Every structure is written in C-alpha cells, then in structure tokens.
Amino acid sequence: MAESATALQDWLLLRAQDGSTATLPDNLSRAFQASDLSLLPVFVAHAWQEHLLEEADRGRRQATEAQQQDRAAAFHAELGLDAQADGDLALQLGREVDRGLRACRCELHLTAQSMPDGLRWFRLEIRDSPADPGGHQETVQVLPVAGESQARAIRTAIHAVLEERGWQASAEPGLFHLEGPQLAALVAILKRPA
C-alpha cells in the first residue's frame, strides 16, 4: 500500500473503497502514483477543482471568523470586559453614553468686535453650537469643552488674569481689549488641547 504524500493523493485515497490504492481504478491509480492531475479523467479532475475551491472557501471563512473573534476579543479587552460579558450590550450602552456626552458639550468662542475708534474689543462667549451670533462680531478662536461648567471655569480664570493685568477696562462685563502679543497669548492658550 502506497502512502499519500500530496493533497491530491490524500483526496484520491478518500475515493478508494477501502482507503488504499489497491481499490483505485487503474486510471486513478496511475494519477495517484505520479501525483499528476493531468492523468485523471475529466470528471474526476473537475471534482478535484471543486474540492480545491471548497477548501479555499473554507479557509477564507475560517480566516474571517478568526478576524471577527480577534476583533471581539480586542473590543472586550479595550472595554475591560471578560469573556462572559455581553459585548453587544456594552457597545449599545457605550454609543448611548457617547451620544449623551456629546449633547453636554459646548464651545467657548473668543469673539471680536471692532469699535468706531478702530479698537477691537473681545468677549468669551459660551455657545451650544458653532453658529455665529450675527451682528458685527468676528469669531477669532473656538475652544470645544466638555460642558458649560467647564466653559464658565475657563472664562472666569481668563477674566481674573486679565483683570489683574489691567486689560478688563470696559464698563460692560466680560468685554476686554488686547493688543497683538497679548491676543496671541490668549489664542495660543485657547488652541491648547484640553
């Protein structure tokens, strides 16, 4: 009894009645001995090709399933979930929490308004959306923040420093005047990642 050495030979032995070359028909036995596909009858060669395609499909399915399992494991690890945790529920909860947090966010806008005497006065405004308020105001810088209380804290801190340095000179609360280097310093701080 010959031992199989190739995938073709393994496949041919599966078609033998007792799993040995002794029960293979002569034409299949010759193809087995030579491990040569061209020696197979056309219908057997065609079945071999179908077998190869099925094997390739099975390999792709297994690779896809393995990738999905790896992604699921990475997702669980990222969230700190064990293998027993419901990943679908965690994903849905995470999306809703993110949506809720986005609804809490707002922006701190540094706006400028030119006055008739040529000076530009600035204001820090808290807004829920990036829409311009209209009028003669120009948005100089926008700082996205996690919520209104954070925006108020930033605005209060900036106003305190400006007041201390003497740049809070307007009778209107929250309005201040800065020149080039001072304005550049404020814009740089507002650009800084939170």
Side-chain angles (χ1 to χ4, degrees), residues 35-85:
S35 189
D36 186 353
L37 181 65
S38 66
L39 297 177
L40 290 175
V42 173
F43 68 93
V44 177
H46 179 70
W48 167 247
Q49 293 301 324
E50 286 180 354
H51 167 74
L52 291 179
L53 290 174
E54 287 172 10
E55 286 296 306
D57 286 344
R58 188 176 58 79
R60 281 191 291 273
R61 277 193 311 275
Q62 287 175 339
T64 300
E65 288 169 7
Q67 286 176 339
Q68 289 172 340
Q69 289 172 353
D70 289 347
R71 277 191 225 119
F75 173 71
H76 280 128
E78 186 179 323
L79 293 179
L81 302 174
D82 63 14
Q84 302 301 317

Side-chain angles (χ1 to χ4, degrees), residues 82-100:
D82 63 14
Q84 302 301 317
D86 185 340
D88 290 336
L89 177 60
L91 184 60
Q92 187 177 2
L93 291 170
R95 284 181 180 151
E96 286 304 311
V97 167
D98 290 345
R99 190 173 294 125

Side-chain angles (χ1 to χ4, degrees), residues 7 11-12 17 42 45 47 50 72 75 99 110 123 130 135 143 155 177:
W11 183 77
L12 286 171
Q17 289 177 1
V42 173
E50 286 180 354
F75 173 71
R99 190 173 294 125
L110 173 63
R123 179 185 312 274
L143 174 67
R155 184 175 63 182
H177 171 72

